[in-house]
Amino acid sequence: MGETEPRRRTSPLKNLVAGGVGGACLLLAGHPLDTIKVCLQTQPRGTCSQNVMYRGTYDCFLKTVSREGLLGLYKGMAAPLAGVTPMMAISFFGFSLGKQLQQPDPNNPLTHTQIYLAGMLAGTFTTVIVAPGERIKCLLQVQSSAGKRKYTGPVDCVIQLFKERGIRSIYKGTMLTLIRDVPSTGLYFLTYEYLKKFLTPEGRSVNELSTPQILLAGGVAGIFNWLVALPPDVLKSNFQTATDGQYRGLRDVLRKLIQEEGASALYKGFNAVMLRAFPANAACFLGYEVAMKFLNWAAPDL
């Protein structure tokens, strides 16, 4: 099948379903290192390297497994499992919709700018689900590190947050989530689409890419996404897990973090993030592509 063959029109509905499959694959592959990332980002400040709880990614991994077993790496997973599947479904739906709005004729390829804008729309769409899901996930992930358990699970966490300060407490950190996800999601999809075309031999279709090529494109897209997203993610994790009143807002979190730990604090958890980014996002895009091929076979006219 060559590139001269008419292109299939983008289907937001199929992208919604396939994106959900991709989201489930992403979470299963990446949650353990996400737990380590959050623990590193939110650990109590130390005056020197000997006084911190975790000295790095490997040390955090060993101490978490020693203290809680392998299942400790999957703590807080229920909330994102309920959120990541619809979140990635909405993300791929938003990206598909963004492309469709800019591409009335599927035979006219989109520019890199248009693909980036479509990805930014996807990042905006997902914030409604991501912000509360991340707030709950982070609180559950860090509570055992503090030596006490305030929440028995995600439902209990939601109930307690709502009782304490209402819906605003559940959505604490929404603006930081937007700052993190809108530009990084644009780069995420742009990188994936660019690499798919780059890896496709001349005269062939991107739909004929092999599994290793899809894994490579998805993994690299994940790395580029987190290079942009990590600094605001550090700010978001600290803001969402802080006690009420500790920070007045974004600028206050940034000021205090740099004041206490220096600019390098914005890249805390870098190793854990990068170790997670490639396999998790490779699995996500592979799950998405496999699901999309199945949907195109099962419902070609949808």
Side-chain angles (χ1 to χ4, degrees), residues 93-108:
F93 171 83
F95 179 59
S96 175
L97 181 63
K99 289 196 297 183
Q100 191 178 74
L101 290 172
Q102 300 177 91
Q103 188 185 35
D105 183 356
N107 290 306
N108 292 331

Side-chain angles (χ1 to χ4, degrees), residues 95-233:
F95 179 59
S96 175
L97 181 63
K99 289 196 297 183
Q100 191 178 74
L101 290 172
Q102 300 177 91
Q103 188 185 35
D105 183 356
N107 290 306
N108 292 331
L110 292 169
T111 65
H112 291 157
T113 300
Q114 288 174 320
I115 293 172
Y116 183 75
L117 290 173
M120 290 179 71
L121 180 65
T124 305
F125 273 24
T126 58
T127 300
V128 176
I129 292 177
V130 172
E134 290 266 320
R135 164 90 154 133
I136 296 162
K137 172 182 71 69
C138 289
L139 286 172
L140 291 173
Q141 285 174 326
V142 302
Q143 68 174 354
S144 59
S145 300
K148 56 183 179 180
R149 296 182 66 84
K150 181 179 180 181
Y151 311 108
T152 58
V155 175
D156 181 55
C157 185
V158 171
I159 292 172
Q160 289 198 47
L161 290 174
F162 187 78
K163 285 181 178 178
E164 289 168 5
R165 296 183 65 88
I167 194 71
R168 289 183 64 184
S169 180
I170 297 172
Y171 274 88
K172 182 179 179 180
T174 297
M175 185 54 66
L176 281 167
T177 304
L178 275 170
I179 292 171
R180 181 194 70 175
D181 287 352
V182 172
S184 62
T185 305
L187 184 60
Y188 181 59
F189 282 110
L190 174 60
T191 303
Y192 181 67
E193 293 289 320
Y194 174 82
L195 287 176
K196 279 176 65 178
K197 290 182 181 178
F198 178 79
L199 293 170
T200 301
E202 188 175 352
R204 306 294 293 272
S205 168
V206 292
N207 296 320
E208 298 177 29
L209 287 177
S210 66
T211 296
Q213 288 173 319
I214 292 171
L215 290 172
L216 175 62
V220 173
I223 288 174
F224 274 79
N225 170 76
W226 277 105
L227 284 173
V228 172
L230 186 56
D233 184 65

Side-chain angles (χ1 to χ4, degrees), residues 75-104:
K75 61 191 173 185
M77 186 169 144
L81 185 59
V84 167
T85 299
M87 181 269 287
M88 291 306 294
I90 291 173
S91 181
F92 278 92
F93 171 83
F95 179 59
S96 175
L97 181 63
K99 289 196 297 183
Q100 191 178 74
L101 290 172
Q102 300 177 91
Q103 188 185 35

